[in-house]
Amino acid sequence: MIATLLASLVGIAEPPGSADFAESRLEIAGDAFDYEIFDLDGDGRLDLIVTTVEAGRRELLVHRQRANGAYPDDPDWKLPVPPDVTAYVLMDVREEPGFEVLLTTRSGVFSASPTKASLRGNLRREFSLPMFPTLPKDGPLRMWPFVMDLDGDGQSELFTIHDHLWTALGMVPSEDGSGRQSFGIRLRLLAERLEREASKNSITFGRGMSISSSSASQFFPGARSSAARFGESSWLMHYEGWQPPTLFDWDLDGRLDLIDRADGNLRIRRQNKDQTFAENAIKITIPESLGDAEDWTKKFRDLDDDGRFELAMEKEIDDEAHVFTVVPVDATGRGGEPTARVKLQTMAAEFDLVDVDRDGYLDLAVRTVDIPGGIQRLTNVRLDVSYQVYRGAQGSTLSRRPVLRIDRRYRPEDLGRIQESLIFDVAGDFDGDGLGDLLTVQTSGTLDIIPLERDGDDFALADEPLTTYQPSSPILRARPLDLSPDGVSDLLLRHGHSITVFVSRKGGRP
């Protein structure tokens, strides 16, 4: 994918038929920053929304993607963020084209349109109601993660907690009978009181949101975030101790259904056409052979592309082992015996489901980290990192052994770049051959993209990298993205004070 551009940077011969790529490097001023990827103006190209903080002053910057795939050095739109703003949201709530930036405060919601260069006459109050919780203010402004299309009408709703209720805000008909719409309350649901200490009542989010170990996680659609994928810390603290309900499209009718948690079980109440929820709940039962349901983190995923969800479940056992299992669930909610199980003796593990070979079956990628026991001196400390891929197949099964495995050992002299050394990803198809490629960073700081090849039923790494790239500053995060609609993966790198983006401008290899 990025072979043409990156080959010129490191002197590698250009492969025939490679795509042409636009490189953009944005230097970010300030003490810290975060980013989101979002099509803000509706032109089909994903824009880069950056929030920064410097000496307590926060800004929101919009860098629009150009027709040639590049991002400008200077932002196209800049918004100084008032100190009382708790988060921002991207929604279409005004007559101006594209999406607006909504600013949430303790007293309500304000909007600003990026189509207007000045804030004069631009900032508008959309809704007044005390609802948004207190958020940390020691970093950049964060994007509010709870935005979903409640009823499948193509318009998203903003969810928040008010007066013990999980409240959905969206476009509703104006009360004056004019036929126009305004921003208001669409739905209110009872939130669950948490009895634990307030400091532990946290919600973490990244590629998916995990509310608690007993809830079904909802993978929210939309922007790809800068939130860390491994060992991320809690971002949103519910000081009032309220846990929102979980919404999930169980029957794939476009409407979000309600997942209740009771007695360690999940109960699904389907959403009716009038935005009420059925009284008769579908109880999700987990086989007794798996033990206490509360011990498992559960996510609904369709692993074998048959239009029916399975429960992808994982848990940690006494800091010594991590288990991943797949439980098929029928239309009545009855969970069958597991179709797949992977148990790893390891200190830490991160599980990720990705379709490596684009065959419709989700494969399991696992990153593990271990500090071997028996080390007597600090000079002997080492870190063992493993990346394994288990192949998915029909019937929501997984291969019994990894079809790809990479093991690395890092000694004390390597540990200064340990964050880079944890970067492994096979989700991106960088050469356009329909098979994912390994994106990884060596202890030297060099980024390699190594094509995967079929080796019978297994995967193998090619003898030579597709491309090698030596960045001018350390890579803190590397992520394949689809920033252009050509079927070839693009790449975003995050550094300490900059972002580098490579965007394909035409199809990959034939």
Side-chain angles (χ1 to χ4, degrees), residues 358-369:
R358 285 30 176 196
D359 62 355
Y361 303 132
L362 294 183
D363 310 297
L364 177 68
V366 190
R367 182 189 295 106
T368 68
V369 179

Side-chain angles (χ1 to χ4, degrees), residues 495-508:
H495 314 276
H497 292 281
S498 63
I499 297 173
T500 306
V501 189
F502 298 98
V503 179
S504 170
R505 294 190 287 201
K506 64 180 181 181

